[in-house]
Amino acid sequence: AKGQGRGTCCYFNAEMQSVAEHKLKLEQDLSHAIGAGQLKLLYQPLINAADQSLVGFEALIRWHHPTRGVVPPTEFIPLAEETGLIMNLGDWVIEEACRAASQWPENISVAVNLSARQLVLPALPATVNAALSRYRVQANRLELEVTESVFLEDTAGSLDVLKRLRALGVGIALDDFGTGYSSLGYLNKAVFHKLKIDGSFVREAAGNRETVAIIQSIVQLAKSFRMTVTAEGVETADDFTRMRDLGCHQIQGYLFGRPMEFERASELVHGTQNR
Ligand code: C2E
Ligand code: CA
Ligand code: CA
Ligand code: CA
């Protein structure tokens, strides 16, 4: 039994070491990824529920790793947050999204995801403002998406940064609402213009009346704060009619389009314009 224990112990250590090495390698690779042009934004359409017209896109990052292929953001964003690389990466995303917006008509918005850690930087509003001016993009065409996790650490500082961003005229969306640390208190902070209902709720609503009731109350609550409500993760025509009829203003999900390359997004923009 003792031998086995030791064996288990050493095997465990070796595995831990290889996990750590893998992580370290990925971190090193990530630090070069921006400069090497391996990062790319894809754009997922955002649809007006009432008439199914295109209102904008959410920018979603992809990393084209030279040997590993496409690494999903769920794998490298946490790594970037741990190492602080998220600061550079986040600035690059803002810059790139503004560049895309500058190529599209004024009625098309672009949403960008922010990590909680980026909100700890007092310089963020200046960075956003500089990118908007550089590409001559109106502030109200840019939306910044944050999750409730921003309120876990440095609440006062983050709230101040959010307020200063809001004062620039950019939109602030509360992302993934209903997952994690949901507290209705956050809605009362007067910084959010939009609430995004998490896709897991949307899909659960298909067979669950309690979930429908929860979504109903979320929509009511958001509307009482004059927030726009977006339903994420809409995959089927049923999801769409259900969420529309529950009062969601905007819809996002595979039903209307997967995250796509800038060129395809542009085709969609122009196709919509000419219709
Ligand atoms: P998120 O902000 O909640 O983005 C929505 C995710 O759901 C995206 O995954 C999107 O591809 C996926 N999705 C969209 N429609 C559907 C649908 O109908 N069904 C299903 N099952 N999924 C759908 P993705 O692109 O893998 O991104 C995952 C997460 O990574 C994002 O979740 C966001 O938290 C983070 N992320 C992505 N890009 C960035 C970025 O530029 N910066 C930061 N900080 N985080 C990012
Ligand atoms: Ca998002
Ligand atoms: Ca989301
Ligand atoms: Ca999410």
Side-chain angles (χ1 to χ4, degrees):
K2 199 177 171 194
Q4 200 187 356
R6 280 181 68 144
T8 307
C9 160
C10 295
Y11 172 73
F12 184 61
N13 276 339
E15 191 175 338
M16 293 241 321
Q17 192 182 345
S18 91
V19 167
E21 276 166 4
H22 170 90
K23 210 174 117 176
L24 188 65
K25 181 72 172 57
L26 211 57
E27 268 171 34
Q28 287 166 347
D29 293 352
L30 186 58
S31 70
H32 300 121
I34 302 180
Q38 293 165 8
L39 297 180
K40 169 184 264 184
L41 293 184
L42 296 184
Y43 299 89
Q44 185 178 32
L46 198 67
I47 302 297
N48 177 348
D51 62 4
Q52 302 190 32
S53 62
L54 179 72
V55 295
F57 296 95
E58 177 176 357
L60 294 157
I61 199 166
R62 296 293 181 266
W63 177 14
H64 292 264
H65 189 283
T67 55
R68 289 173 211 267
V70 180
V71 185
T74 44
E75 214 170 295
F76 69 89
I77 291 290
L79 211 59
E81 287 172 338
E82 264 175 55
T83 53
L85 280 171
I86 193 67
M87 304 306 185
N88 288 332
L89 189 150
D91 287 355
W92 178 83
V93 171
I94 291 165
E95 177 91 13
E96 189 65 12
C98 288
R99 197 164 69 86
S102 73
Q103 307 292 305
W104 295 331
E106 284 183 0
N107 62 329
I108 298 294
S109 65
V110 178
V112 161
N113 292 283
L114 292 187
S115 285
R117 283 205 59 181
Q118 289 175 268
L119 288 174
V120 174
L121 274 190
L124 185 65
T127 305
V128 169
N129 203 28
L132 289 169
S133 339
R134 187 157 37 250
Y135 293 102
R136 297 176 203 286
V137 172
Q138 288 243 324
N140 64 8
R141 293 181 58 205
L142 182 68
E143 272 175 19
L144 303 174
E145 302 193 354
V146 301
T147 64
E148 291 145 315
S149 66
V150 298
F151 296 115
L152 282 186
E153 45 184 306
D154 188 27
T155 304
S158 303
L159 193 60
D160 179 61
V161 169
L162 284 176
K163 284 183 174 160
R164 290 194 292 126
L165 287 165
R166 197 82 176 93
L168 289 177
V170 303
I172 312 283
L174 186 53
D175 201 1
D176 296 353
F177 192 78
T179 64
Y181 331 91
S182 296
S183 157
L184 301 178
Y186 305 141
L187 296 182
N188 199 14
K189 303 285 186 196
V191 289
F192 299 109
H193 85 297
K194 176 184 279 190
L195 189 152
K196 299 189 78 171
I197 299 176
D198 194 65
S200 59
F201 270 92
V202 172
R203 291 188 289 276
E204 206 178 286
N208 190 320
R209 287 177 56 187
E210 285 78 17
T211 304
V212 170
I214 291 172
I215 293 173
Q216 221 155 16
S217 340
I218 291 174
V219 172
Q220 298 270 309
L221 194 69
K223 286 187 173 174
S224 75
F225 288 108
R226 299 175 195 283
M227 294 164 87
T228 301
V229 184
T230 300
E232 302 185 313
V234 168
E235 293 183 351
T236 67
D238 275 353
D239 291 344
F240 167 68
T241 44
R242 183 176 309 104
M243 298 312 290
R244 182 196 58 196
D245 295 348
L246 281 168
C248 294
H249 303 102
Q250 297 178 352
I251 305 291
Q252 188 181 343
Y254 295 165
L255 178 67
F256 290 100
R258 292 192 174 240
M260 57 184 80
E261 307 270 335
F262 171 80
E263 289 74 20
R264 260 200 71 210
S266 296
E267 282 169 24
L268 203 64
V269 167
H270 296 113
T272 304
Q273 300 290 306
N274 297 337
R275 215 190 278 157

